[in-house]
Amino acid sequence: MSLHALIRARVAQNGPISLADYMAECLLHPEHGYYTTRVPFGAAGDFITAPEISQMFGELVGLCLAQAWMDQGAPKPFTLAELGPGRGTLMADVLRATRGVPAFHEAATVTLVEAASQLAQQQRELLAGFDITHVASADEMAEQPLFLIANEFFDALPIRQFIRAGQQWRETQIGLSGEDLVLGQGPALPQPALKGRLQETRDGDMVEYAPAVGPIMDAIGGRIARHGGIGLIIDYGDWRSLGDTFQALKDHQPVDPLADPGAADLTAHVDFEALATAAPCEITRLTPQGVFLERLGITQRAQSLATGLRGSALEAHIAAHRRLTHPDEMGNLFKVMGLFPAGCSPPPGLDQ
């Protein structure tokens, strides 16, 4: 039975489901889920992430983590972690860029937080030669200093979506119209989690939030607050959620998110204010990805790598640098927020 049929049967029997339940089924269903049945990354997949665009991204992120580790006294042992590491490309670049940092690799427990077994196997293959620890959730990481990357992780967390109705909210739900899955709105109800949004929204405004943000930020921010370390959260979105950002991508093109459950990537823009509010440690200002990478020296690195390139290889390299940093491409759409402990400096490239 297809996932579309399974969801139809569930709705027919129990009534409409939330957007969060729908996203969770589509992305992580053990038999039909998007991340459990396919490799979505790269030119042959449905979307491409910054580490797949150029090695420069992972190299600079790795050196940022290593510099912060040294700034905090080079604690040993420590956890070097990534949330949702895809094929493992970013962590591979991080490890390559930091191999010359004295004692960094020896002190690191490389930990990948991955819920999809198929992707975990790909990560093991790409990172063969390194001792890798896989965990299914952030709260399973060791209680020790944590130096963590979350690149395009939070955008894939299932969201709930609400439209304001007076002092109450109507939730977006997935229902049925004949054999089709359709979006609708539930009854107006109070939503304690959205109490703070009543002051700056109006009737008819739509807001989104991801219920899993709180526990995840508590797990990573708590470790940083207690033991030291930093976190780099890199994703598309803005300081505060407003409007409908639920979307689906297949073959690098937008598609109807309800048409073929499990066959397209489902995401929503990240509400960085919600992440900051849930973090039990210090946070940096929200910084555009292009500014962050320029502060870390991406242009100098690009010039160095370009020295031996000619023709189409040089053109592709220049295009990759532009795509990562230019305001009209990923440079402004993607933002960076850093986590760090009280009494320490913020991560390199970011301001408090």
Side-chain angles (χ1 to χ4, degrees):
M1 185 181 291
S2 70
L3 186 55
H4 196 287
L6 289 171
I7 295 174
R8 285 202 318 269
R10 176 179 171 183
V11 172
Q13 182 173 357
N14 301 316
I17 62 174
S18 71
L19 209 53
D21 285 345
Y22 177 76
M23 288 181 70
E25 287 286 278
C26 290
L27 296 177
L28 293 172
H29 187 279
E31 185 179 352
H32 302 291
Y34 181 75
Y35 286 116
T36 54
T37 60
R38 67 197 66 222
V39 178
F41 313 100
D46 295 318
F47 60 91
I48 189 165
T49 61
E52 308 275 349
I53 293 170
S54 171
Q55 69 186 66
M56 296 184 292
F57 181 84
E59 290 172 348
L60 292 171
V61 165
L63 294 175
C64 174
L65 293 169
Q67 184 62 57
W69 176 72
M70 291 187 288
D71 291 345
Q72 293 187 26
K76 305 172 186 177
F78 74 94
T79 301
L80 177 62
E82 184 177 359
L83 303 183
R87 290 192 290 201
T89 304
L90 176 53
M91 184 57 76
D93 289 339
V94 165
L95 291 169
R96 187 185 65 256
T98 56
R99 62 190 171 194
V101 180
F104 186 77
H105 283 196
E106 292 78 6
T109 302
V110 182
T111 302
L112 303 181
V113 181
E114 181 57 73
S117 58
Q118 179 182 350
L119 289 175
Q121 180 56 37
Q122 287 215 358
Q123 294 152 15
R124 280 189 287 268
E125 292 170 2
L126 185 62
L127 297 168
F130 292 97
D131 187 10
I132 304 296
T133 298
H134 272 100
V135 296
S137 63
D139 59 7
E140 296 177 38
M141 295 186 296
E143 284 286 350
Q144 60 188 24
L146 174 64
F147 292 79
L148 173 138
I149 320 154
N151 180 62
E152 292 199 53
F153 169 78
F154 284 95
D155 66 81
L157 292 182
I159 60 161
R160 296 178 69 184
Q161 193 182 73
F162 297 89
I163 292 179
R164 182 171 170 181
Q167 297 298 297
Q168 299 181 319
W169 302 86
R170 300 182 64 191
E171 182 167 11
T172 300
Q173 297 177 328
I174 309 294
L176 285 176
S177 176
E179 294 294 300
D180 296 328
L181 298 173
V182 294
L183 292 172
Q185 300 296 323
L189 297 169
Q191 294 293 336
L194 297 177
K195 184 178 180 181
R197 301 303 306 269
L198 291 172
Q199 295 181 349
E200 36 78 23
T201 55
R202 298 176 296 178
D203 273 11
D205 281 350
M206 178 175 283
V207 301
E208 299 168 339
Y209 84 93
V213 159
I216 294 171
M217 292 301 292
D218 187 64
I220 63 180
R223 282 162 174 77
I224 291 169
R226 290 189 294 272
H227 307 293
I230 65 165
L232 296 175
I233 299 173
I234 307 169
D235 226 314
Y236 58 90
D238 216 324
W239 181 246
R240 182 176 293 160
S241 156
L242 187 63
D244 179 10
T245 72
F246 176 54
Q247 57 197 289
L249 204 65
K250 185 176 182 180
D251 296 329
H252 302 270
Q253 298 295 324
V255 295
D256 179 354
L258 304 185
D260 194 1
D265 184 39
L266 302 181
T267 66
H269 284 208
V270 173
D271 180 346
F272 280 93
E273 182 183 40
L275 271 62
T277 302
C281 61
E282 299 296 313
I283 60 165
T284 68
R285 294 179 184 176
L286 198 59
T287 301
Q289 176 178 289
V291 173
F292 173 67
L293 293 174
E294 290 294 355
R295 288 174 177 174
L296 295 181
I298 192 171
T299 294
Q300 293 87 339
R301 179 59 175 152
Q303 291 169 345
S304 174
L305 289 172
T307 304
L309 300 178
R310 298 289 184 274
S312 60
L314 178 59
E315 292 175 5
H317 176 63
I318 293 170
H321 174 261
R322 175 185 170 85
R323 186 166 181 185
L324 290 173
T325 61
H326 196 278
D328 292 337
E329 303 218 22
M330 296 175 74
N332 273 358
L333 175 64
F334 280 74
K335 311 293 194 305
V336 186
M337 187 172 75
L339 313 178
F340 63 103
C344 291
S345 299
L350 299 172
D351 299 318
Q352 190 168 9

